[in-house]
Amino acid sequence: MITSKTISNGILRALATILIIGIILYFLYEIQTVIVYLCISLILCLIANPLVLFLKNKLKFSNSLAATTTIILFIFLIVGFILLFVPLIISQANNLALLDTAHLQTNFIEAERHLEEYFNIQHIDLNKVIKDSKLTSVLDFSYFTGFINSIINFMANMGMGLVSVFFITFFFIKDQDIFKDQARRILPDSNEDKILNSITKINHLLTRYFIGLLLQLIVVFILYLIVLLIFGNKNAFVIAFLCAILNIIPYLGPIIGTTLAGLLTMISMIGKDFQSEILPTTIYVIIGFLVVQAIDNNVSQPIISSKSVNSHPLEIFLVILISGITFGIVGMIIAIPVFTMIKVILKEFFPNNKIVSVLTERI
């Protein structure tokens, strides 16, 4: 029989549950930096996994020595990157006036004036087209320069972050067998094998995915750089670097990168003749970037999306599209890893389900 006391106790338990969940979420929000460090360390661990296995199995390194060697290699790579490329990025950024909003906007207005003069010669009222599209009302150069400034500030204050990430990564690599044994003790006996098999498969697939993604970004960067150097762009490195980073965002990133490359190419050539130099060079750069994207979409992407995580390209496209609509750019970036984890877990726990068996037949 339901009494007022029972109802009161139920309400109190519900309120207590909500309060506990709220406290947990608030706590996770407060330690979000630590969570980011853990995620980065996990990705580095997945990327380093083939090297660690080679050091342990082929060269007979101990866990500690293999972890130390891997961390030292990561440090050398980062230091080498800083010594070789960061000064160049900073100097190129200064040449582009990326840190000066007023200067950047002045250069863009100058480029717009050249465009208007050119299209007026062709009897097209560009000013009316721009007004009708209300393009100028949505252009805010502070977003672009703010993005660049945030990158530079991040690089300037990342010392503590790097130390934390490498410290966590070291123990992830060194004690991964211990973590597995401890997890085996905590897990319920009925599902222990399924959970451990899921973790092993996820580790294998995501390792392949992140390594493939890293190689893809390097290849795209080199191809972008070649295109820009062919057409004599003095800001080739920084433009190629920024556009390659944007390639992390599936499908949308390359479009943004191509637009950015065309805009920065045009701005960097202010002072030259628009009709004979600026416009043709910008068009050639955009065409070159489109060719690079065609190569990437038909060679690199299928290998990474299909072979590394064993999923059909159409399946990957739909997952990224749905994730982008639901969660925005962040959803597009994490769509493939999360989808891969879900597929592995479903296959382990529901292997006889017809829908699951169809979706996971390639895993």
Side-chain angles (χ1 to χ4, degrees), residues 7-19:
I7 295 174
S8 300
N9 289 337
I11 293 174
L12 289 175
R13 282 196 298 269
L15 291 175
T17 303
I18 293 172
L19 179 61

Side-chain angles (χ1 to χ4, degrees), residues 302 305-316 339-340 343 359 362-363:
S305 299
S306 300
K307 295 185 178 180
S308 64
V309 296
N310 296 330
S311 296
H312 192 277
L314 179 59
E315 187 179 1
I316 293 295
F339 181 62
T340 301
K343 285 179 64 176
L359 289 175
R362 300 177 64 181
I363 294 181

Side-chain angles (χ1 to χ4, degrees), residues 29 38 48 56 62 71 81 92-93 95 102 126 128 138 152 175 177 190 194 199 212 227 232 271 315 323 331 355:
Y29 174 78
L38 289 171
K56 291 168 63 176
S62 64
I71 295 300
F81 177 82
Q92 293 285 18
N95 291 336
L126 184 62
K128 183 176 182 301
V138 298
I152 293 178
D175 296 329
D177 293 332
S190 59
K194 294 180 180 179
I199 293 173
V227 170
E315 187 179 1
S323 299
I355 297 177

Side-chain angles (χ1 to χ4, degrees), residues 127-326:
N127 192 40
K128 183 176 182 301
V129 172
I130 293 176
K131 285 182 179 179
D132 291 342
S133 64
K134 298 180 180 180
L135 178 63
T136 55
S137 64
V138 298
L139 284 175
D140 187 351
F141 290 90
S142 62
Y143 286 113
F144 180 70
T145 54
F147 172 71
I148 299 300
N149 282 327
S150 65
I151 292 177
I152 293 178
N153 290 333
F154 172 77
M155 294 177 65
N157 299 290
M158 66 187 303
M160 184 61 188
L162 282 175
V163 172
S164 301
V165 166
F166 284 142
F167 185 80
I168 296 170
T169 304
F170 173 80
F171 285 103
F172 273 0
I173 295 173
K174 173 180 174 293
D175 296 329
Q176 55 181 307
D177 293 332
I178 297 177
F179 293 150
K180 290 179 181 178
D181 290 337
Q182 291 176 343
R184 188 176 286 109
R185 295 176 185 176
I186 297 173
L187 297 175
D189 294 337
S190 59
N191 294 320
E192 178 181 321
D193 291 337
K194 294 180 180 179
I195 294 174
L196 292 177
N197 287 338
S198 297
I199 293 173
T200 301
K201 289 182 180 180
I202 289 172
N203 178 60
H204 174 67
L205 291 174
L206 291 188
T207 296
R208 293 171 58 185
Y209 172 74
F210 285 117
I211 292 175
L213 181 61
L214 182 62
L215 291 175
Q216 180 198 4
L217 294 181
I218 293 173
V219 170
V220 168
F221 165 73
I222 293 173
L223 293 176
Y224 280 162
L225 185 61
I226 291 173
V227 170
L228 293 168
L229 290 175
I230 287 175
F231 297 108
N233 194 310
K234 63 181 181 180
N235 302 306
F237 182 89
V238 69
I239 295 176
F241 180 80
L242 291 175
C243 293
I245 293 298
L246 286 170
N247 218 62
I248 293 176
I249 307 173
Y251 304 112
L252 184 60
I255 297 174
I256 298 174
T258 301
T259 304
L260 179 63
L263 177 62
L264 294 181
T265 299
M266 187 177 296
I267 292 174
S268 66
M269 297 180 68
I270 292 297
K272 298 183 180 181
D273 183 72
F274 181 80
Q275 186 168 349
S276 63
E277 295 184 69
I278 298 179
L279 184 60
T281 301
T282 303
I283 293 174
Y284 294 148
V285 166
I286 291 175
I287 293 174
F289 271 52
L290 292 175
V291 171
V292 171
Q293 290 171 23
I295 295 173
D296 180 51
N297 291 335
N298 290 282
V299 178
S300 303
Q301 285 282 5
I303 292 175
I304 293 175
S305 299
S306 300
K307 295 185 178 180
S308 64
V309 296
N310 296 330
S311 296
H312 192 277
L314 179 59
E315 187 179 1
I316 293 295
F317 173 77
L318 292 175
V319 169
I320 292 174
L321 182 62
I322 294 171
S323 299
I325 294 173
T326 307

